[in-house]
Each structure stands twice: as C-alpha cells, then as structure tokens.
Amino acid sequence: GAVVSQHPSWVICKSGTSVKIECRSLDFQATTMFWYRQFPKQSLMLMATSNEGSKATYEQGVEKDKFLINHASLTLSTLTVTSAHPEDSSFYICSASRNLDEQFFGPGTRLTVL
Amino acid sequence: KQEVTQIPAALSVPEGENLVLNCSFTDSAIYNLQWFRQDPGKGLTSLLLIQSSQREQTSGRLNASLDKSSGRSTLYIAASQPGDSATYLCAVVGQAGTALIFGKGTTLSVSS
C-alpha cells in the first residue's frame, strides 16, 4: 500500500510553453501533498504544500503565479509550470501524506526546457 | 530555521565493510526523522522512519539511531554491497503534517 504515482516521468518542452505534472495517491487518500524540486547534485527543496480544497502554501522565493498547484481531490494534485524557461529545468517530486506520520514519494518528473 | 547536515558528502568503501552515515539537525524539536535512498535520476526510496520518541529502527542490514537531544542521527549499513551504491538522504519533520526538510545527502560507492 501507500503508492504515489507521477505523470509524466519526463517531459521536454520549448521555452514559453506550460507543462502540467500530476501526482496521484493510488491506494490512499491524501489530505496533504507536497511538491519538491531537486536541481542536479542538490538536495530536495520544498516548493509548496498543497491541501485538498484549499490554496497551496508556497515557500519563500517560489513564484505562485509561475508554479500553479491544484489539489482538487484527495488523490490528485497537479503542478503546472507556466511559461517554462530553461532555468525551470529540474527534477520535480511530489509526496503525499496518508496520516500525519509518514510521507510517500512519487517517482519524480524530469523537466527539460529547451 | 531547521537545517539538516550530512557528513560525509561522499564515501567510497570496498564491499563487505560496515559503515556509518551521519546526519545532524539544528532544531531538536522534531516530529520524526526519515532516511531515504536515491539512485541516480530516480525518485526516493524510504529506508527507515524514526519517531521522535524512538531511539532506533532496524531493517535488514540497516540500523538508524536517533539522539534527539543532541540533534543527531546515524545510519549504519552492515556488510556493504555494490548494490548499496546510491545517495542517502536524511530528512526531518518539525511538526506532524508538515514537509520534510532534507540534508544534501551522502553519496556512497561500494566497490566489488
């Protein structure tokens, strides 16, 4: 149990386009999901906390108008990178909290912006 | 602000050695601590979760300890194997339901 999926696993897009990444908890309901970003050879940095039915809470320095997060159901959160640029190229990973104790991570999405 | 530090940043050992990875955190008021494994270009695999009230957790050849008062955790890997080669990440949760704060990881290479 406690499986989290992400789609797509990788995406290449042109500069200026928007990309949507989905995070799904497959076998449990997640009231809270988290989005992290990892640059090469760096650790994971929290971008935002997403609660079902409410607006996401963004970390300092993360542009909420650029990284749109929607948590419309207890099993799905989406991250849309709007008007992507090469500096947005990164590894995006989501996690879902089944209870307050543990988070389960998706396999990540590799975004490359040309 | 919580900060997590992992030492060493990289480690190379021959197969069969026992090894210890270190993790320290600046704020001892944590809810739990987790150790993860990350293979190159891949997501995270959870290894061990230690609640703040616990002192250690064991899974197979892995043993993680937690000394909350001193802000330290160690991950002990027994009889290392080439398949253990990966980056090991330590992360803490400050309060229940909040995000994990990660260290930069220790990249382990086990040679056969």
Side-chain angles (χ1 to χ4, degrees):
Chain A
V3 179
V4 176
S5 70
Q6 273 185 249
H7 178 80
S9 56
W10 61 269
V11 57
I12 301 173
C13 69
K14 293 182 178 180
S15 184
T17 60
S18 294
V19 174
K20 179 184 285 188
I21 302 170
E22 292 185 349
C23 176
R24 292 181 184 272
S25 54
L26 298 184
D27 52 2
F28 66 99
Q29 293 185 330
T31 54
T32 304
M33 290 185 173
F34 303 93
W35 286 96
Y36 297 84
R37 179 169 54 184
Q38 185 179 36
F39 291 108
K41 299 189 184 299
Q42 299 293 317
S43 191
L44 281 77
M45 297 298 294
L46 178 68
M47 298 177 66
T49 301
S50 169
N51 291 297
E52 186 265 339
S54 63
K55 291 183 178 180
T57 302
Y58 291 82
E59 293 300 295
Q60 190 173 8
V62 178
E63 299 175 60
K64 63 180 181 181
D65 294 331
K66 182 171 184 61
F67 299 99
L68 302 179
I69 293 173
N70 183 281
H71 193 161
S73 77
L74 288 172
T75 59
L76 174 64
S77 177
T78 59
L79 168 67
T80 301
V81 183
T82 62
S83 187
H85 291 284
E87 58 265 30
D88 298 323
S89 298
S90 187
F91 192 53
Y92 293 86
I93 307 180
C94 71
S95 71
S97 179
R98 179 173 59 182
N99 49 41
L100 297 178
D101 279 353
E102 190 170 2
Q103 294 175 35
F104 301 91
F105 283 79
T109 297
R110 175 78 56 193
L111 171 64
T112 302
V113 184
L114 302 177
Chain B
K1 180 182 175 184
Q2 177 75 273
E3 292 184 4
V4 180
T5 303
Q6 292 186 246
I7 296 174
L11 182 63
S12 294
V13 299
E15 182 177 7
E17 274 204 8
N18 302 323
L19 56 100
V20 175
L21 307 182
N22 296 293
C23 172
S24 62
F25 43 96
T26 54
D27 186 348
S28 62
I30 62 169
Y31 185 72
N32 63 41
L33 181 147
Q34 242 176 306
W35 283 92
F36 295 88
R37 168 185 173 140
Q38 185 176 32
D39 292 289
K42 302 294 185 181
L44 304 180
T45 300
S46 178
L47 299 175
L48 291 164
L49 169 68
I50 310 177
Q51 300 292 352
S52 61
S53 59
Q54 298 175 324
R55 300 281 295 189
E56 66 176 348
Q57 284 286 342
T58 298
S59 176
R61 294 183 294 108
L62 305 179
N63 175 276
S65 67
L66 174 63
D67 184 345
K68 200 173 78 163
S69 61
S70 67
R72 295 177 185 274
S73 176
T74 61
L75 178 65
Y76 176 82
I77 303 177
S80 58
Q81 303 171 357
D84 295 331
S85 299
T87 295
Y88 291 80
L89 296 167
C90 169
V92 299
V93 171
Q95 297 178 6
T98 61
L100 286 154
I101 299 172
F102 285 85
K104 292 185 176 181
T106 294
T107 299
L108 172 64
S109 176
V110 182
S111 56
S112 57

